[in-house]
Amino acid sequence: MTTDTLHEHPAGADVPVDPPARKGNPWLPSFHGVGLMTRIELRRRRPSTKGYVLYGILFAIVIAICLAAAIFTPPQLSSTNFEIVLIMVLGVGMLIAPSLSATSINGDSGEGVLAPLQMSHLTAGDIAMGKLLASWTVSVFALVALSPFLIYTFLSSGWTVVEMLTTIGAILLVVLAFTAVGLAWSSIAARAVASVALAHLTTGFFLIGTLIAFGVSTLLFTEEATQRDRYIDWETLAPEAEEALNEAYMTGDFSALDPDDYQCVESEWAYTIAHTEHVAWILLTNPAVMITETAPIVDPETWEEDGRAAPGLFANIHSMVSDARLGPDDELDDYIAYDECAQLFQEAEASEMSEEELEAMWAEDENRWIERQQELANLERAPWLGLSVAGVLLVGSMWIVIRRLRVPYKKLRTGTRVA
Amino acid sequence: MTLTQDAPVRTDAITVEGVSRSFGSVKAVEDATLTVPRGHVTALIGPNGCGKTTLMLMLSGLLRPDAGEIAIAGHDPRTDAAAVRAEIGWMPDQLGSWDNLTCLQTLTLMGEAYRIPRATARARGMALLHRVHLEEFADRPARVLSRGQKQRLSLARALVHDPAVLLLDEPANGLDPRSRVELRDLVREFAAEGRAVLVSSHVLAELDEMVDDAVFMSKGRTMGEHAAAMVADARLKYRVDALDPAALQEALSRGGVEFEPTATGAITRIADEANAAQALAWLIRQGVQVHRFGPAGSALEQTYMAMNEERR
Ligand SMILES: Nc1ncnc2c1ncn2[C@@H]1O[C@H](COP(=O)(O)OP(=O)(O)O)[C@@H](O)[C@H]1O
Ligand SMILES: [Mg+2]
């Protein structure tokens, strides 16, 4: 095709071109522009040999972990191995894609290849979206490279295909959002070192900082509860009474003790109940938590009948997050006051006869605990806040990038030239 | 946009009126006024840091002026920046190229960025590579190019969309003498095709033969009439050297000719070539042994030096 046109126009002759006329100063992206910009970026950012070696090492590590996950997949259903592979996909994406995008604009501007593109018919939106997609594509490559492990571990995970696609979609969205954040930093900071550091700091803030923020803000929502205990005052005990008590503790027979010999003291102590339900939303903004919240619900009691694997990594994280969302369980967490005197004297008879009752009480306790676990595991999934955070990061970052790429410039990045 | 056929009646492709721009406290351009008609080559001359690049960036619609009026082929960059950019072929002074891509790929992709169909863009890219004598590098990556070759690739890149206005920012930098001569011929060709060309440079000797007009800039201001008069005056100057300088000077004084004495002869003003021939014949008749007779060197260079502005 191209050789034909070359023959039509002999060497050196002028080839007439007719680019369309333009008006105003458009900034909206177009299909043609975004596609072209993505192509340009993918071609020109093909890694060098050194880059390939680095990617090779990274992938060797990731593949070793995935291989281990695949090999140690037990014969029965188990979702944790699959979830580890998903985490690898997320990790590789979050590590590479924002690093690439974070040098994309200030790097180009420093090399002097940005301004000629801005002069062309590509709009700020075309350049921004093209660069975003090109960097993000790398995480798609990571996904494709890891797909054999993904598929192999998926087969024994008890997940449905739709569930897998949902979670992978969430992962790709999170990577896209943080790629956009990297791009925004590269449009703001003049130097690549600064923008890469800022991009990873932002990622770190959302992945780890939100956990710390959750922990710290829990302290603001604590309830002081007091607990009154009664016990025998050993200080005032006569020597023979003390001996008798020790004897009684050894034998478990308290009937010989005379209540009058023992003085009871009361002590009050305070403990705190953390009302995590007020700050659990901080956890939900965490992108990793958001991804686990898209995973299927696994009932800790009925998973076998449901055709699921036993609750794996994601299901357990969901339970932990649900625990924070629901806050303390009054019935479970209530302390039972300790009353040594009452145990020894008043209810001596009562405790003797309650062997079965005691068992029933324990069973009830256990049932309540199981119920709570079931409630936690089945609590409705809450990825929405995390999804909105990713959406806001994505849209906000791209808005910044497009604004910073629009020419004519009013203000320049401090300490840079246009060309 | 075929230049020769439907060129509008308007002849000034670039008009600039009282433009200024500062970066923080640095006043890069304070007051620039100039016009470049279609088919003309205008030089923008001034010392380093006088604001040539900043002015070109404002013309190209990349940088917003703080004040003043600009029109490029009738478009105002403030309201119609995209139309301005479409008219302009800009060769930046900073050399940037996509190192991984070949020269032909670079030009093809750049053409596509101007919405030229890929096959046409490729054909035009090849034609342009021929024009700047880079055809043998068509399939080699841009990173192997030397500085001067990159400069020529950058020139070809400025032409992919057949612009009506060319802004060349120090195009002669890093070119070998032969390439400079070729550049001069190319620039004249661009003007002959009807394009308006604004060339900034401080390699003045080359400019002399390349340009129709010159705009001098100093400390962010264009020098206007005063400088133009100085160039016109400098163009009149002839240097005459004789074996006996004293005899030459005496003959000139006797004939009532104004001149500046030099160590080897004199510098005098002669209006045109016919006058020069007559003057030479007259000197010979006076018995002066003239061994050198000609224009007194680069008019632009003389003016530049005479402006006597310190560098920033
Ligand atoms: N982006 C910028 N930020 C701050 N100062 C600048 C910037 N661009 C140019 N300048 C200053 O403006 C003046 C003119 O620069 P420039 O137009 O590049 O000069 P020239 O091209 O004539 O050598 C210089 O003093 C330069 O330091
Ligand atoms: Mg300059």
Side-chain angles (χ1 to χ4, degrees):
Chain A
M1 169 194 83
T2 40
T3 39
D4 278 353
T5 22
L6 286 180
H7 281 297
E8 272 171 44
H9 305 281
D14 196 27
V15 179
V17 290
D18 187 22
R22 314 204 79 203
K23 270 216 308 284
N25 197 8
W27 59 271
L28 277 172
S30 65
F31 271 115
H32 171 269
V34 174
L36 177 65
M37 192 62 217
T38 311
R39 248 172 59 216
I40 292 177
E41 286 290 300
L42 283 178
R43 284 176 154 204
R44 86 177 215 72
R45 295 200 186 279
R46 255 180 324 206
S48 55
T49 334
K50 221 194 270 172
Y52 276 121
V53 170
L54 236 119
Y55 284 132
I57 292 173
L58 182 65
F59 265 98
I61 295 171
V62 169
I63 283 179
I65 294 172
C66 291
L67 212 59
I71 289 172
F72 295 115
T73 306
Q76 69 274 33
L77 289 183
S78 149
S79 63
T80 302
N81 306 65
F82 174 60
E83 287 155 5
I84 287 174
V85 179
L86 283 178
I87 290 172
M88 289 294 127
V89 173
L90 175 69
V92 171
M94 289 288 256
L95 216 57
I96 298 179
S99 304
L100 288 179
S101 69
T103 57
S104 184
I105 290 174
N106 51 15
D108 269 16
S109 160
E111 281 176 48
V113 291
L114 183 63
L117 284 175
Q118 288 171 304
M119 286 296 292
S120 76
H121 288 200
L122 293 174
T123 64
D126 293 334
I127 299 176
M129 300 297 287
K131 282 182 175 292
L132 175 72
L133 289 185
S135 303
W136 177 72
T137 308
V138 176
S139 65
V140 179
F141 287 157
L143 183 70
V144 172
L146 296 180
S147 58
F149 302 103
L150 212 55
I151 292 167
Y152 180 73
T153 50
F154 163 74
L155 291 177
S156 58
S157 68
W159 290 36
T160 67
V161 174
V162 174
E163 287 160 354
M164 171 180 76
L165 293 180
T166 308
T167 301
I168 287 179
I171 289 175
L172 290 180
L173 173 73
V174 164
V175 174
L176 187 70
F178 282 90
T179 309
V181 168
L183 203 60
W185 282 125
S186 89
S187 75
I188 293 170
R191 282 155 49 82
V193 194
S195 52
V196 172
L198 285 166
H200 287 311
L201 272 178
T202 317
T203 313
F205 169 78
F206 277 96
L207 281 179
I208 298 163
T210 48
L211 299 184
I212 296 171
F214 169 73
V216 172
S217 51
T218 306
L219 300 178
L220 300 177
F221 290 95
T222 50
E223 186 184 44
E224 293 282 302
T226 49
Q227 160 92 34
R228 204 179 283 258
D229 285 347
R230 285 176 80 226
Y231 55 89
I232 288 167
D233 189 1
W234 289 71
E235 312 264 297
T236 60
L237 234 47
E240 54 275 19
E242 188 176 333
E243 210 166 292
L245 185 56
N246 277 335
E247 184 77 28
Y249 264 120
M250 302 274 264
T251 58
D253 175 16
F254 302 98
S255 50
L257 300 175
D258 177 4
D260 294 337
D261 289 345
Y262 301 93
Q263 199 164 352
C264 278
V265 285
E266 280 192 353
S267 92
E268 212 176 68
W269 54 280
Y271 65 98
T272 53
I273 302 172
H275 280 277
T276 48
E277 68 269 28
H278 298 302
V279 288
W281 60 269
I282 300 179
L283 276 185
L284 297 182
T285 61
N286 185 306
V289 169
M290 185 276 268
I291 288 165
T292 57
E293 286 289 299
T294 64
I297 280 176
V298 181
D299 191 299
E301 296 303 309
T302 65
W303 52 269
E304 260 177 312
E305 299 98 85
D306 299 343
R308 294 275 179 202
L313 198 54
F314 285 11
N316 282 322
I317 293 175
H318 174 67
S319 289
M320 271 152 43
V321 172
S322 300
D323 192 33
R325 283 166 65 198
L326 289 181
D329 180 346
D330 292 339
E331 289 184 34
L332 266 184
D333 298 345
D334 246 6
Y335 282 85
I336 296 155
Y338 175 65
D339 189 341
E340 192 176 19
C341 300
Q343 273 188 9
L344 293 191
F345 310 118
Q346 278 113 34
E347 283 160 28
E349 318 87 62
S351 63
E352 257 170 42
M353 54 165 267
S354 68
E355 196 67 30
E356 285 104 42
E357 259 180 34
L358 214 63
E359 217 129 273
M361 203 174 77
W362 286 340
E364 196 190 325
D365 267 1
E366 200 182 313
N367 271 341
R368 208 184 286 150
W369 189 82
I370 287 171
E371 247 169 58
R372 166 81 173 178
Q373 292 309 309
Q374 236 174 335
E375 187 190 0
L376 292 180
N378 284 301
L379 190 68
E380 204 187 337
R381 297 176 290 175
W384 307 115
L385 186 60
L387 281 171
S388 334
V389 168
V392 167
L393 282 177
L394 178 62
V395 173
S397 299
M398 291 319 283
W399 184 73
I400 293 176
V401 173
I402 290 177
R403 269 183 56 115
R404 307 280 307 200
L405 279 177
R406 284 197 80 182
V407 283
Y409 289 116
K410 270 190 206 131
K411 265 187 66 186
L412 294 175
R413 248 170 284 131
T414 39
T416 60
R417 292 172 62 98
V418 180
Chain B
M1 194 180 53
T2 322
L3 288 166
T4 40
Q5 281 164 14
D6 46 35
V9 212
R10 194 188 309 107
T11 49
D12 285 346
I14 306 178
T15 56
V16 179
E17 189 67 51
V19 162
S20 68
R21 166 82 203 202
S22 43
F23 299 102
S25 58
V26 184
K27 287 190 172 136
V29 173
E30 276 199 79
D31 180 10
T33 301
L34 64 94
T35 57
V36 184
R38 284 182 190 276
H40 272 239
V41 183
T42 300
L44 188 60
I45 301 167
N48 289 329
C50 72
K52 303 182 295 291
T53 299
T54 308
L55 178 58
M56 286 205 168
L57 288 173
M58 287 189 283
L59 295 183
S60 60
L62 285 175
L63 197 63
R64 191 181 291 265
D66 293 337
E69 296 294 324
I70 296 177
I72 304 290
H75 304 293
D76 183 344
R78 271 174 308 190
T79 55
D80 232 4
V84 166
R85 291 198 299 271
E87 297 284 352
I88 285 183
W90 173 58
M91 175 177 170
D93 63 346
Q94 185 192 14
L95 287 180
S97 56
W98 294 318
D99 287 347
N100 266 349
L101 303 186
T102 67
C103 296
L104 186 55
Q105 280 173 336
T106 301
L107 295 183
T108 310
L109 288 170
M110 213 59 212
E112 283 185 76
Y114 280 97
R115 298 238 168 191
I116 298 165
R118 191 183 306 185
T120 319
R122 202 179 143 85
R124 182 164 177 89
M126 203 61 220
L128 286 171
L129 285 177
H130 275 282
R131 207 163 170 188
V132 299
H133 304 291
L134 279 178
E135 62 273 18
E136 65 214 81
F137 291 92
D139 295 320
R140 293 206 218 150
R143 63 169 171 274
V144 307
L145 298 185
S146 73
R147 190 193 153 83
Q149 289 163 339
K150 275 191 181 158
Q151 197 93 0
R152 282 185 268 154
L153 179 62
S154 175
L155 181 61
R157 191 177 60 188
L159 288 162
V160 287
H161 57 301
D162 193 12
V165 177
L166 271 176
L167 303 178
L168 310 180
D169 202 348
E170 316 220 347
N173 258 4
L175 293 188
D176 57 46
R178 191 196 154 86
S179 306
R180 284 185 186 189
V181 173
E182 282 167 4
L183 175 72
R184 188 184 68 203
D185 296 344
L186 269 178
V187 167
R188 290 293 353 160
E189 276 174 38
F190 297 150
E193 289 162 5
R195 301 179 215 272
V197 189
L198 185 65
V199 199
S200 90
S201 183
H202 41 234
V203 186
L204 299 166
E206 263 84 19
L207 282 181
D208 248 342
E209 295 158 61
M210 191 196 286
V211 303
D212 304 303
D213 276 314
V215 173
F216 284 83
M217 253 187 117
S218 171
K219 295 185 176 169
R221 293 170 182 276
T222 50
M223 304 307 282
E225 300 297 304
H226 173 59
M230 282 170 84
V231 176
D233 182 55
R235 286 232 159 94
L236 300 181
K237 285 189 183 174
Y238 269 69
R239 169 186 292 274
V240 188
D241 288 351
L243 292 180
D244 180 0
L248 167 67
Q249 287 161 12
E250 200 199 294
L252 287 173
S253 313
R254 245 188 296 122
V257 180
E258 275 184 39
F259 69 93
E260 299 159 23
T262 62
T264 53
I267 287 180
T268 181
R269 287 174 172 72
I270 298 173
D272 57 32
E273 282 162 6
N275 271 329
Q278 280 178 10
L280 180 59
W282 178 80
L283 277 174
I284 306 286
R285 281 202 302 277
Q286 299 297 310
V288 183
Q289 289 174 292
V290 177
H291 67 82
R292 202 174 129 166
F293 184 92
S298 161
L300 298 178
E301 191 162 347
Q302 290 177 51
T303 314
Y304 182 89
M305 291 313 197
M307 305 242 311
N308 202 18
E309 292 280 353
E310 6 174 320
R311 276 152 192 264
R312 276 199 221 178

